Amino acid sequence: MSAKDVDAIRDFKEQKLDNEFVRKVTRSLKISLATIRVRIRSKIWLATWLKP
């Protein structure tokens, strides 16, 4: 294995780790956004339901 091959493998592994990190972050952000949406909807529903 040449030094070029080793560098290519290292670059590939780093890119894979970066992609996984990005995927995890975006997934947690989507979960957070979904939670916020649900809370807003329930507050709107409560406000309309409690109107005199």
Side-chain angles (χ1 to χ4, degrees):
M1 222 193 272
S2 70
K4 217 178 204 181
D5 293 338
V6 172
D7 285 343
I9 290 169
R10 190 180 327 122
D11 289 346
F12 177 73
K13 283 183 179 176
E14 285 176 5
Q15 186 179 1
K16 194 174 174 187
L17 284 174
D18 288 346
N19 289 345
E20 197 156 321
F21 174 74
V22 168
R23 199 171 71 238
K24 283 181 181 175
V25 169
T26 52
R27 194 162 94 227
S28 63
L29 280 174
K30 285 177 187 173
I31 291 169
S32 301
L33 285 173
T35 307
I36 291 167
R37 276 193 210 112
V38 167
R39 286 185 182 159
I40 290 172
R41 281 190 195 133
S42 59
K43 283 181 183 174
I44 291 170
W45 180 83
L46 255 176
T48 56
W49 191 70
L50 292 175
K51 270 186 185 174

